[in-house]
Amino acid sequence: MTGNNTIPGTGRGAPGADGLRGPRESPHPLLGAYLSILREVPDGLALVDSGGGCRYLNPAFTRITGYTREDVPTLSAWFERAHPNPAYRRNVQDMGQELLQGDRNALVASVVCRDGTVRDLEFRRAPVWDGCILLVVRDVTEQVLTEEHLRQTTSELSAVIEAFPDLFLQLNTDGTILDFRAGRLAKVPLVSQALLGRRVQDVFPGDVGEALLDTLQQAVRTDAPAASLEFSHTEAGALRHYEARVMPLYGMRLMAVIREITERKEAEQELHRHREHLEDLVAERTAELERANQRLEHLLYCIETTERRAAEEWLDSSIEQGTLGVAEAEEARITTDASGTVVIVSRAAERLTGYAGEVLAGKPIWSLFLGGDARELLSEEVLGRGRSAECVEGATLVRNDGSRQPVCISADPIIDAAGTVVGMICTFQDM
């Protein structure tokens, strides 16, 4: 390879290994040193004359590409072997011509090496003597892969930024805004181009700026993501709410990710108002139930007192008349509240009506009878005027099975200590 990679003109009139005859002159004293340097440099070197012939290839060129000077005697032969794809070869030839003419400083192209591998090479030119050009070749395959990976990563990060409704601020440790990016969905820019170079704590009001500065300093001290910070900012007369998170970056820089949360805060406030309203409704309903329980307890107390008094009167009357212990017809009793709604049903009333007590509870008592006389008697006379009343004739009880039973009805009002009618006790018997 060394014999094939020589520069013509190293001997007196003898043709060089490239087939060209050099000038008849003694070699320069430093030419051997120069050739030694060219052979040892890590970059590939190719000396091309004005006619496109390759007059010299150093060992590094062969090591990088695998080609010797016999493989690429001319640039045309190089293009044929290094770029077998015709379309790609035409593009590279056009750029190569610009490089040789000095219209461009460098060229990076994919090259098919002699062993069939494809590598990315960088070509740079340096003009030398007699119109010759020295091409410096460097293997940049790893660099190209790194740059491609970097472009891919940058593209992915840009897509992420575009996809999120966030504002991304790059800051110094003192809070100076170095750069910003806003996602496509960000509704309010918050920071404009005119604010670049200013400190973020000076952009916002004092309390918000100080809170942001504390968050930045915390991230610098701990080298860990700081806790989120929520703040408000007035824009165009409207109060907007934001959440900021600070992330440490390489080189003592920070990234502040700011997201508008106005809709979320408004939803939370609306939910809080609904919760308070619900709590008020629950408290009001609880108070109503408490009052209803008190009324029911009062009614039960009045019923108990009334029935105890009636039992005592019946016992006294039976003793006076000497009829104690004599069996009487079974009496059915139903106790109601002031509206005539059934509250308590005796066993005898269950047997007489055919209804269970829990079924009758909550129904109006006059729904058990046919005709309007019983309702008028019970609602107007007993509950309305607070008088005891009897309906001896014309009352018909409708039983659970649909059968009808003539009954005799008597009713007594239940009156509390204030003289208010709070219910009644209806007693009825078979006729």
Side-chain angles (χ1 to χ4, degrees), residues 3 127 131 170 185 188 251 255 261 265 363 382 387 415 419:
Q170 187 179 143
L185 301 181
V188 181
M255 175 70 75
I261 56 173
K265 297 295 288 187
K363 294 183 178 181
V382 181
R387 301 174 184 174
I415 302 175

Side-chain angles (χ1 to χ4, degrees), residues 170-179 197-201:
Q170 187 179 143
L171 310 169
N172 268 341
T173 54
D174 63 351
T176 302
I177 302 175
L178 303 177
D179 193 11
R198 294 183 57 185
R199 298 191 310 168
V200 69
Q201 58 266 31

Side-chain angles (χ1 to χ4, degrees), residues 185-205:
L185 301 181
K187 296 182 179 179
V188 181
L190 187 66
V191 176
S192 64
Q193 188 75 24
L195 297 179
L196 292 180
R198 294 183 57 185
R199 298 191 310 168
V200 69
Q201 58 266 31
D202 297 333
V203 175
F204 302 102

Side-chain angles (χ1 to χ4, degrees), residues 204-218:
F204 302 102
D207 54 345
V208 175
E210 291 300 324
L212 284 172
L213 181 59
D214 291 342
T215 305
L216 294 178
Q217 293 175 348
Q218 179 184 350

